[in-house]
Amino acid sequence: MPRAIGANCRLLMIPEATYGTAPAGDWLRMPFLSCDLGAEQPLLDADVIGVGSSRDPAAPFLDTVTVQGQAVVPVDLVNIGHWLRLLLGPPTTTGTSPNFIHSFGSGAAALPSNSIEIGYPDVPNYDLCTGVRADTLEIDFSPTGPATATFGLMGQGSTRGTASSGGTSTSAAYTAFNKAQGAISRNGSALAQVTGARLTYANGMEMVRTIRADRKVEGVDPGIARTTGQITARFADTTLLTQAQNNAPAEFAFSYTIDANRSLTFTLHEVYLALAKTPVEGPAGVEASFEFRAAYNATATRMMSAVLKNQQAAAGYA
C-alpha cells in the first residue's frame, strides 16, 4: 500500500469570488518547500460527575475547528506575486509585454481570500482549505543560500476527499531568486557592512468565532498592519547608530535583482531603529544588531510597498 511522501505532494491555489467557497476551474500549482496548513479540532474533557459508577471520565467532545498553518515557499519571479496578492491585495500593474511592474501596498481596507488544496496523491487524499487569508510574511536576508519566504495563513474551513478539486492545474515558468542577488539600501544608497537582516510583515488577523452549526469560524478579519525586523551589520561606521540615537526615520529597501526587468523590492518608507549595543565578543569583528519598526508615511501614503518586475500580465494577479 503506498504511503504519502512529501516529494509527491501538491499545493494548488485559486482566488475566491465568494469567501469560503472553492471556485470550479483549473487551479494554480504552486512551488513550495513545506506547508502545515490544515484543520485542527481539539478534544475537550467533559468533567461531568455522576455519569458512571467510578471516577472514570465521561466521553470528551470536539471543539471548534481551527484552520491555520504556514507555507514556506521559494521567492521566485512569478509565483511569489500570487502570495503577495493574498497578503497585501491585488497590485497596480504598469508596463507592456514582456516587462510588467506590479506594485503592492500595505494597509488595504479589505484583503482577498483563496482556496488552497494540499494533495497527497499516494494515498490518495486531498485537503481542501477554503477562506484562506495571509496573516504574516517573514523573509531572511543573508549573503548565501536560496531565497525563501514564510507565509502565515488562516482559513475558515477544511474538507478532505479522494479526488482533487483543482481541475487541470497550471503552473508558471519557475525562475528563483537567491540570496546572493539581495541588496539593502537606506534613503536610496546601498547600506554597507550588512551581514544579515530579517523582515516581518503582519496583517494582525483575527479569527471571528460565532455560534455556527458547522463549528467553523465566521471569517478572518485584518487588524493593524505592522512591519518589524532586524538588521545586523559590522561596526564600521555610525550611520545606523546615529539614526537610532536620534530616533529619526529613514527609508529602507530590501531587494532581490536578476536584471533591470526582473526583481522584487520591499520598501519600508519610514523606519525607526532601536538603539543597539556594540558588544566585543573576542578578537573577531564587532557586530551590532538593530531592531526596527516601520510606520505609515504620509508622502508614500502607506507603510510598505512591494514591487515585483516580471513577465506576468496584469490579469495574472487580478
Side-chain angles (χ1 to χ4, degrees):
M1 182 177 179
R3 293 179 292 273
I5 60 173
N8 290 336
C9 291
R10 302 289 181 262
L11 192 155
L12 306 182
M13 185 163 70
I14 191 171
E16 295 177 343
T18 303
Y19 178 77
T21 301
D26 298 332
W27 295 29
L28 296 169
R29 178 175 167 182
M30 306 294 291
F32 71 110
L33 285 83
S34 65
C35 183
D36 65 356
L37 176 67
E40 291 181 313
Q41 194 173 8
L43 281 170
L44 298 183
D45 290 328
D47 295 327
V48 181
I49 301 171
V51 173
S53 58
S54 68
R55 294 183 294 106
D56 294 333
F61 60 92
L62 289 168
D63 200 27
T64 304
V65 176
T66 299
V67 180
Q68 200 167 2
Q70 290 186 331
V72 181
V73 303
V75 180
D76 75 320
L77 193 59
V78 174
N79 295 291
I80 194 66
H82 297 291
W83 293 105
L84 291 175
R85 175 192 175 277
L86 192 61
L87 182 79
L88 301 171
T92 300
T93 299
T94 57
T96 57
S97 181
N99 303 318
F100 294 98
I101 302 173
H102 310 281
S103 299
F104 303 83
S106 63
L111 294 174
S113 65
N114 280 9
S115 291
I116 296 178
E117 180 187 88
I118 299 94
Y120 310 84
D122 300 303
V123 178
N125 188 260
Y126 299 86
D127 187 6
L128 172 59
C129 300
T130 54
V132 178
R133 288 191 165 126
D135 182 28
T136 61
L137 162 67
E138 183 171 330
I139 295 184
D140 289 320
F141 288 79
S142 63
T144 64
T148 63
T150 301
F151 288 87
L153 307 171
M154 293 182 178
Q156 184 191 38
S158 170
T159 57
R160 286 184 178 265
T162 57
S164 174
S165 301
T168 303
S169 61
T170 60
S171 57
Y174 178 67
T175 302
F177 292 103
N178 60 71
K179 290 183 176 179
Q181 297 165 331
I184 300 174
S185 66
R186 177 183 178 275
N187 287 339
S189 300
L191 190 61
Q193 306 292 337
V194 177
T195 59
R198 183 188 72 253
L199 185 153
T200 301
Y201 175 86
N203 275 317
M205 291 288 190
E206 177 189 14
M207 286 190 175
V208 181
R209 298 191 182 277
T210 59
I211 300 171
R212 294 172 55 122
D214 58 9
R215 299 181 182 178
K216 297 179 181 179
V217 297
E218 192 69 29
V220 182
D221 293 346
I224 295 292
R226 300 190 187 279
T227 304
T228 60
Q230 183 184 75
I231 295 174
T232 301
R234 284 298 179 104
F235 190 41
D237 58 56
T238 60
T239 300
L240 297 180
L241 190 63
T242 300
Q243 180 185 339
Q245 288 174 325
N246 294 338
N247 194 32
E251 182 178 87
F252 283 77
F254 302 77
S255 64
Y256 293 114
T257 303
I258 297 174
D259 56 39
N261 297 314
R262 296 182 294 173
S263 64
L264 173 63
T265 303
F266 294 92
T267 302
L268 309 182
H269 300 284
E270 191 167 315
V271 173
Y272 296 83
L273 299 178
L275 186 60
K277 298 184 290 186
T278 53
V280 179
E281 298 176 334
V286 177
E287 290 188 343
S289 293
F290 295 86
E291 301 288 336
F292 69 76
R293 293 181 180 273
Y296 173 84
N297 181 268
T299 302
T301 68
R302 61 187 54 172
M303 171 178 62
M304 182 182 80
S305 298
V307 176
L308 177 62
K309 296 181 180 181
N310 61 19
Q311 73 277 15
Q312 178 74 29
Y317 301 131

